Amino acid sequence: MRTLLLIACLTLPAQQPGFNYDEAKVPAYTLPDPLVLADGTPVKDAATWRKKRRPEILELFAEQVYGQTPKTKIKIRTESLEIDKTAHNGLATRKQVRVWFGPNAAAPAMDLLIYLPNNVKGRVPAFLGLNFNGNHTAQPDPEIRVTKSWVRAKGNVASDKDRGEGASRWPVDMILKRGYAVVTAYYGDIDPDFDDGFKNGVHTLFPRSEKPNEWGSLGTWAWGLSRAMDILEKEKEIDSAKVVLHGHSRIGKAALWAGAQDERFAIVISNDSGEGGAALARRKFGETTARINTSFPHWFAGNFKQYNDKEDSLPVDQHMLIALIAPRPVYVNSAVEDAWADPKGEFLSALAADPVYRLLGMPGLLVKEHPPVEIPSIGGTIGYHIRKGKHDVTDYDWTQWMNFADLHFKKK
Ligand code: GTR
C-alpha cells in the first residue's frame, strides 16, 4: 500500500515549481567532455583515462555532487540471525545476517537478507540492491525480520502488516530459477532518509565538519552497498566477482555512485534513477537540480546547491558518472510514464558515456537513437531499455537485467 501511494504521487504531474515537462523548453547545452582533462589535454589512451581522467572525475563528483566518502575504516562485525535451507519451497537457502557498523550494541546495523539458489553447484552470481521499506516488505515471508529502523512513509514503525507489500519489485523465485542469488538490505538501516542534520544512521560514525563537501545520504547509501560487498566477499556460496548492483530511483542514484567508486561491482544497473542519477542535469527536464536540492536537502553535498538553476556551470554531468563504471558493464533503464526521471535524458547520458567505453576497447551502447518502447539494447557494454508504464521495478526490467548479466557473465 505504501509503495502504491508513493507510485501514485510520483506519476502525478508535479505540483511544485522546479520541473519541466516541455521538450521545447530544454535549453541548448554543451556537455563537459569526459575525454578531456581539466587542463584541456585530450585523453587519447586507456592509461591516461585510468591514471588521470578517471580520478579527476571521481573527485569532482565527490567534491561537487555527492560529498566525500570518509576514508576511515569502520570495524564491522556480523551476527547470523538465521539460516533456512528450505525457503521458497526448497528452491532457496535464506540467510539473514546483521551487519554491525561498530563494536558495541548501540552501533548502527544493517540486516542483509540473502537468498541462495539451492539447485546450483558452486559459487553463484548475485543481484544486490537496497529496498525502500524494510526487508520484510520484499517478500511475504513471516521469517524475515521486521526492520526496527525508520521507515519513510506511514509514520515511523514497520510491522507485520507490511510483509510482502513490495514483492512485485523483488521476483525472487524468477531470479533464483535463473541461478542468481538475491541480496537486499533496507536503505534506512544505513541512513534514515530525512533531513535531521546528519545526526543518525552511519553519519554518527564519522566526525562531520561544516565543509560543503561533506557527504549526504546518497553517499552513505553508496557506502552501505560497499559494506554489503565486504560481506559478500566472505560468503562462500557467492561469486563475489559476479555481483550485479542494482537500484531504483533514489537507490538507483546511490547504486551508480557506489558502482563508480567501488570497482568490485561487476555490473551496475540504474532503474529510473533520474536527476542526480543517470539523467543529464543540463536538460532541466523533469526534476531539476534546484527541485531535488529543495525537496531533499540531505541527499547531496552542500556544494551541489550552488548549481541550482546553474546546471551549465557544473564541471560534470551524469554521463560522466556512468563513464566511471567503464569498462564494466552498466545498464540504464527508463519508463514511458516516468517523465519526472527524464527517460530521454537518461538515454542521452548513457550515449554520452559511450566514447569512454570505446576508448577502453569495449562496445559501449549499440544504439545511437532512443530505442522504441520495449526494444532493449543489451548487446553492448552499456545496456538500455525503456518500458511501458510507471516509475517502478517490474518483471520486464528484471528479465532484461538478467539477460544482460547472462551475456556478460557468459552464462548459458
Ligand atoms: C522522488 C524524487 C526522485 C526519485 C524518487 C524516488 O520524489 O524526486 O529524485 O528519487 O523520489 O526515489 O522514488
Side-chain angles (χ1 to χ4, degrees):
M1 187 56 176
R2 187 183 296 148
T3 318
L4 288 178
L5 277 175
L6 176 75
I7 293 166
C9 298
L10 288 170
T11 51
L12 289 174
Q15 280 140 31
Q16 306 150 315
F19 74 99
N20 166 42
Y21 287 151
D22 184 355
E23 194 62 39
K25 291 202 181 119
V26 170
Y29 60 86
T30 309
L31 292 179
D33 192 333
L35 292 178
V36 175
L37 290 172
D39 68 6
T41 316
V43 177
K44 294 216 170 96
D45 53 75
T48 312
W49 165 260
R50 180 88 217 146
K51 291 207 199 86
K52 294 199 174 146
R53 186 56 172 154
R54 190 179 186 283
E56 209 171 73
I57 296 175
L58 205 47
E59 183 63 12
L60 287 171
F61 275 107
E63 277 293 306
Q64 305 299 324
V65 182
Y66 303 105
Q68 295 283 352
T69 305
K71 305 255 180 313
T72 324
K73 292 244 182 320
I74 298 296
K75 217 170 165 39
I76 286 173
R77 120 190 116 79
T78 56
E79 179 192 338
S80 170
L81 300 176
E82 63 111 33
I83 299 181
D84 179 356
K85 295 197 167 156
T86 64
H88 284 244
N89 296 321
L91 197 62
T93 298
R94 183 192 57 239
K95 290 189 179 183
Q96 295 182 74
V97 180
R98 187 153 295 163
V99 183
W100 293 93
F101 301 123
N104 55 48
M110 156 178 90
D111 282 0
L112 278 185
L113 169 64
I114 304 175
Y115 288 101
L116 300 159
N118 282 340
N119 60 344
V120 185
K121 287 208 174 35
R123 289 175 181 249
V124 291
F127 275 84
L128 164 68
L130 300 175
N131 63 69
F132 278 82
N133 290 310
N135 292 349
H136 65 296
T137 64
Q139 289 297 289
D141 176 344
E143 296 305 320
I144 301 175
R145 300 291 194 269
V146 175
T147 182
K148 300 250 185 329
S149 299
W150 178 87
V151 173
R152 68 181 169 136
K154 263 209 271 171
N156 287 344
V157 196
S159 80
D160 270 323
K161 289 203 271 324
D162 319 321
R163 288 194 181 281
E165 66 172 21
S168 66
R169 291 182 174 184
W170 297 90
V172 170
D173 281 11
M174 178 171 116
I175 307 165
L176 290 166
K177 283 182 187 149
R178 291 192 54 163
Y180 289 93
V182 182
V183 186
T184 186
Y186 170 47
Y187 84 137
D189 278 0
I190 304 164
D191 188 26
D193 188 1
F194 62 91
D195 186 17
D196 71 321
F198 306 108
K199 296 205 170 50
N200 54 24
V202 301
H203 281 291
T204 56
L205 302 173
F206 304 97
R208 191 177 175 90
S209 73
E210 292 304 310
K211 290 196 194 133
N213 65 354
E214 286 283 352
W215 63 346
S217 293
L218 286 166
T220 55
W221 300 326
W223 179 90
L225 285 164
S226 286
R227 301 296 69 78
M229 185 65 182
D230 297 343
I231 307 303
L232 297 188
E233 285 190 315
K234 295 194 190 110
E235 276 290 316
K236 58 181 187 327
E237 296 92 348
I238 288 181
D239 182 349
S240 61
K242 291 185 179 161
V243 174
V244 185
L245 175 59
H246 63 102
H248 169 59
S249 207
R250 66 196 70 188
I251 293 172
K253 306 180 210 291
L256 285 172
W257 179 225
Q261 296 175 88
D262 188 337
E263 296 183 274
R264 293 174 298 172
F265 295 113
I267 297 180
V268 183
I269 296 169
S270 148
N271 187 83
D272 303 346
S273 64
E275 171 73 19
L280 294 173
R282 279 170 174 74
R283 275 177 43 82
K284 301 185 184 198
F285 189 96
E287 186 176 30
T288 62
T289 305
R291 179 74 262 145
I292 206 168
N293 274 327
T294 310
S295 312
F296 306 102
H298 57 295
W299 279 4
F300 297 90
N303 271 336
F304 193 49
K305 297 193 174 65
Q306 60 185 303
Y307 302 105
N308 291 351
D309 300 314
K310 297 194 188 81
E311 288 84 348
D312 277 328
S313 57
L314 264 166
V316 289
D317 211 319
Q318 298 306 111
H319 62 306
M320 291 155 86
L321 184 66
I322 297 172
L324 287 176
I325 294 158
R328 292 164 293 152
V330 64
Y331 198 95
V332 174
N333 61 275
S334 318
V336 173
E337 292 172 46
D338 187 19
W340 189 243
D342 187 14
K344 186 171 173 189
E346 295 189 311
F347 171 75
L348 291 174
S349 180
L351 185 62
D354 175 87
V356 175
Y357 279 83
R358 306 259 170 194
L359 179 80
L360 302 181
M362 309 307 284
L365 185 59
L366 299 188
V367 287
K368 300 297 163 227
E369 302 287 336
H370 201 179
V373 177
E374 302 193 359
I375 306 288
S377 173
I378 63 164
T381 320
I382 305 176
Y384 180 84
H385 78 250
I386 177 162
R387 67 156 165 77
K388 296 197 276 281
K390 299 187 166 75
H391 187 74
D392 198 1
V393 188
T394 68
D395 285 4
Y396 181 86
D397 299 319
W398 274 101
T399 303
Q400 313 319 314
W401 302 346
M402 289 191 282
N403 291 346
F404 186 69
D406 280 0
L407 216 73
H408 289 284
F409 293 153
K410 305 209 171 18
K411 273 179 103 229
K412 283 172 218 140

